[in-house]
Amino acid sequence: MPRTQRAGQVRHPDPDGLRIDLMKLFLLTALTMTAFAGNSVLNKFAVGPEAADPMGFALIRIASGAAMLVVLMVWRERGRMSWLASGEIGTAIALSAYLCGFSLAYLTLDTGAGALVLFGVVQLTMFGMALWRGEVISPWRYLGGAIAFLGLCVLLWPSADVEIGWVGPGFMIVAGIGWGLYSIAGARAMDALAATTANFVFATPMVLLVFAVFGSVSLTGAGVIAAMVSGAITSALGYALWYQILPLMKTSTAALAQLSVPVIAALGGFALLSEGVTWRFGLATLLVLGGIALGLLRGAKPQVSPPD
């Protein structure tokens, strides 16, 4: 016969059950970050060896992602289409800029370098928007932003042995600004998955227009498969999973988890695409990710209410 709980006695959670839950959250977070990094690996795999035209890759990616997300939303909403009202044209334009710039950048950038530039520019864009809105910024965030910017300079500065150029980084900067603005807009969405689905749907004809003007029908079977996997799995399902686990962790923890994406992308490029990892990339990675981590950890406002 089970023991009854005495009045006033506090029941503590089972440590083993809590450990299992934390392990599950860790594994799901690692899977999501790997999916995000996978977009860089797949894009570089298809565009780098010219298995796919960059704009063709971006079009198949957005269309496949939109189709997968629509299926998820139709299933969740039992056929209702009210989620379309969650989309915004401006946000869809930012998403399109990210997709097109991202694909074009990998014509010249290595996988890890592209992910690092993207991540650094996204954070600097969000930092700049906070300044523009008049938010109070901690000195630690200024310092962290300066260190991250220095890291990007180290990566992109021309030298005798490494010449990255500015075409690829320029496109990735456009992608980073687009993704930063898209992230800022998404932060105020009441239903993140519904807003993401609607914005993917709205962005599809925009990317199609860019493809019609600048793209070409130059796609191999491998390029098409890579684009579809990037759109339907590592983008659509990756975002859907991310939005499911975000409420289970602190905001600062979620932000810090994303610091792993450039590192995972670099490892993927090294293991799957035979890309090298130079000392300059390593130094730039330490500066960019270290600067962002400093701003996140030391620049966060003290929590008065329970953590989210």
Side-chain angles (χ1 to χ4, degrees):
M1 186 172 181
R3 254 187 245 171
T4 57
Q5 185 180 359
R6 296 179 183 177
Q9 186 178 10
V10 178
R11 177 173 295 180
H12 297 285
D14 176 21
D16 293 331
L18 179 61
R19 190 178 301 114
I20 293 173
D21 290 341
L22 290 176
M23 180 58 69
K24 181 179 179 180
L25 179 61
F26 171 78
L27 292 175
L28 290 175
T29 302
L31 178 62
T32 307
M33 296 304 104
T34 302
F36 291 167
N39 284 320
S40 293
V41 176
L42 289 166
N43 205 139
K44 180 62 180 179
F45 163 77
V47 173
E50 299 180 354
D53 168 69
M55 289 300 92
F57 184 96
L59 178 59
I60 295 175
R61 179 185 175 189
I62 185 67
S64 301
M68 178 62 77
L69 289 168
V70 167
V71 169
L72 291 176
M73 284 305 301
V74 169
W75 176 76
R76 195 188 81 172
E77 299 296 322
R78 301 182 183 277
R80 294 189 298 270
M81 302 295 289
S82 57
W83 50 267
L84 277 171
S86 302
E88 297 178 354
I89 297 300
T91 306
I93 292 174
L95 177 60
S96 301
Y98 154 71
L99 287 164
C100 295
F102 188 84
S103 290
L104 287 165
Y106 277 119
L107 282 171
T108 57
L109 286 177
D110 282 347
T111 307
L116 185 62
V117 173
L118 175 72
F119 192 86
V121 172
V122 167
Q123 297 299 318
L124 291 175
T125 299
M126 298 177 77
F127 179 78
M129 285 298 295
L131 283 176
W132 183 71
R133 290 175 172 177
E135 296 181 16
V136 178
I137 306 296
S138 164
W140 288 105
R141 289 197 65 187
Y142 279 106
L143 178 60
I147 294 174
F149 182 75
L150 175 62
L152 291 178
C153 291
V154 168
L155 178 68
L156 302 177
W157 198 264
S159 65
D161 56 330
V162 179
E163 179 62 52
I164 294 180
W166 283 99
V167 176
F171 281 123
M172 194 59 84
I173 288 171
V174 171
I177 293 173
W179 188 253
L181 295 176
Y182 179 81
S183 300
I184 292 169
R188 63 175 186 266
M190 298 299 294
D191 186 336
L193 184 58
T196 299
T197 306
N199 287 321
F200 263 65
V201 171
F202 293 164
T204 299
M206 298 179 185
V207 177
L208 176 60
L209 178 60
V210 176
F211 171 79
V213 176
F214 300 105
S216 63
V217 183
S218 175
L219 298 167
T220 66
V224 171
I225 292 173
M228 292 179 67
V229 171
S230 178
I233 298 179
T234 56
S235 291
L237 295 184
Y239 299 160
L241 178 58
W242 184 233
Y243 292 137
Q244 289 296 315
I245 63 177
L246 266 178
L248 305 179
M249 62 179 74
K250 296 179 181 179
T251 302
S252 57
T253 303
L256 288 171
Q258 296 178 75
L259 294 178
S260 64
V261 174
V263 178
I264 298 172
L267 292 175
F270 175 76
L272 302 176
L273 305 179
S274 301
E275 294 178 348
V277 179
T278 65
W279 69 267
R280 190 163 73 158
F281 173 77
L283 176 59
T285 300
L286 288 176
L287 289 172
V288 172
L289 303 188
I292 294 171
L294 177 66
L296 289 172
L297 292 174
R298 300 301 300 270
K301 296 179 181 178
Q303 294 281 353
V304 178
S305 56
D308 49 306

